[in-house]
Amino acid sequence: ETSHRPAESAHRNPKPRSLEEHVAKASASLLGAPGNPKLKWCTNDSAADYQNLQQEEFFNHFHNNHVLTTKAGLAASLSQYSIATGADVDRFFPRCYDLAQRGEREDFVLDFRRSAALKVALLHVHLDTQQSSSAGAMGYTCNLDLLRAAELTLQRWCWDLDAGHLDEEGMQDIPTLAEDTWDALVLYSDLTQAQLCAEPGNDNLVRHVRRRHHRIGGGSLEGDARTREWVATADEARQRSSDIRAWPEFQGHTWGKMSEESRSALSTLLGCLEKFFSQWTLQGGWVGRNVWIMKPGTNSKGSGIECMNSLPELL
């Protein structure tokens, strides 16, 4: 005769459908065992906690869990994985930086500046196309100096993303941008269509004040320059002219129409960047700059989260 006992036994003790279910059942079994279970709450764990476990003692965390369960730990793990395997982490995980690390802080400032340059280029293409087709933006005149700075920034970005490009090729043609230029470029990226097109009613549409320790473009302010910058720009922000050409960051700049050659070069760069940059779709196009989610690296349950989109605040 065929016995049905195994089926009955399997029915009484079904195989867990997930790791969470297994852990829950194991915990219930251990806590329900004879004796008086004792639970000890710890605010942190260390290697010794796992090494000194006695028989029938268990921990509700796995060893070195922080490399995955904290934001700073996960970012570091993904960075190490990328270096070890050559994997493009940006294809499946949003860009992430630990600002407590100097190297990553500098990488973040560069990322922010490049994103600002991209927004400047995309908004220019949008307004220029509208103007050329007489569909709008008739008052638009671009800042040629800052569009050139954006073009140089995007060129270097494309080269960095292109695995087939050698660093020596063309590097002598890319000048280093001054901090004043970065300030102007980042500020320019924050301008609205109404301001760029000199449309009526744009007087109250901008300006964040620079903070004490950092410039608009992310550069540091040292010593007495911090106080002077804070006082000057706080007063300046209240008195910004509706004519953006009169703003001090844009003094001496050339305004006008891009040449066909420059327009073609910029279009080529944008196509190249769209091809190589795996997070192109996260940039928001010409509509606006990225908003960055700031969170203390070891906090949990969503505590301490803030959303920001200017370098002085972020740094």
Side-chain angles (χ1 to χ4, degrees), residues 139-154:
Y140 175 60
T141 304
C142 62
N143 186 317
L144 295 174
D145 292 327
L146 293 183
L147 277 173
R148 177 56 179 164
E151 183 181 338
L152 294 173
T153 302
L154 298 183

Side-chain angles (χ1 to χ4, degrees), residues 54 114 118 271 287-288:
Q54 303 298 313
R114 285 176 167 178
L118 177 57
V287 178

Side-chain angles (χ1 to χ4, degrees), residues 26-220:
S27 300
S29 175
L30 287 168
L31 293 175
N36 297 312
K38 294 182 180 180
L39 301 178
K40 181 180 179 181
W41 177 262
C42 298
T43 57
N44 206 346
D45 58 351
S46 65
D49 293 325
Y50 299 91
Q51 295 167 358
N52 298 331
L53 288 177
Q54 303 298 313
Q55 188 175 2
E56 296 185 358
E57 290 182 340
F58 69 101
F59 217 113
N60 73 329
H61 284 68
F62 56 86
H63 197 193
N64 293 327
N65 64 86
H66 62 276
V67 301
L68 292 178
T69 59
T70 65
K71 270 56 66 181
L74 179 59
S77 297
L78 288 173
S79 177
Q80 293 170 9
Y81 174 71
S82 177
I83 294 171
T85 66
D88 184 3
V89 174
D90 287 346
R91 290 193 175 276
F92 61 86
F93 193 78
R95 303 195 299 285
C96 179
Y97 299 93
D98 182 358
L99 299 187
Q101 305 299 321
R102 181 174 180 177
E104 292 199 37
R105 189 183 182 90
E106 293 172 351
D107 289 344
F108 169 70
V109 171
L110 178 60
D111 185 324
F112 192 100
R113 289 172 168 180
R114 285 176 167 178
S115 295
L118 177 57
K119 195 263 184 175
V120 166
L122 289 172
L123 183 54
H124 166 74
V125 170
H126 171 71
L127 294 176
D128 186 61
T129 301
Q130 279 195 323
Q131 191 177 65
S132 299
S133 62
S134 299
M138 301 312 295
Y140 175 60
T141 304
C142 62
N143 186 317
L144 295 174
D145 292 327
L146 293 183
L147 277 173
R148 177 56 179 164
E151 183 181 338
L152 294 173
T153 302
L154 298 183
Q155 179 65 79
R156 178 59 213 240
W157 195 1
C158 285
W159 285 345
D160 286 347
L161 292 173
D162 184 2
H165 178 78
L166 299 177
D167 284 344
E168 296 79 8
E169 296 179 3
M171 286 303 299
Q172 64 275 11
D173 300 328
I174 303 292
T176 301
L177 299 185
E179 290 295 334
D180 285 344
T181 304
W182 283 124
D183 285 347
L185 183 61
V186 171
L187 181 61
Y188 192 71
S189 75
D190 205 25
L191 297 178
T192 64
Q193 291 189 61
Q195 288 175 305
L196 289 171
C197 297
E199 294 176 357
N202 66 358
D203 302 45
N204 299 320
L205 289 178
V206 184
R207 282 319 23 116
H208 52 72
V209 179
R210 307 181 200 186
R211 296 299 178 90
R212 280 191 175 87
H213 301 289
H214 295 90
R215 303 164 64 128
I216 293 176
S220 295

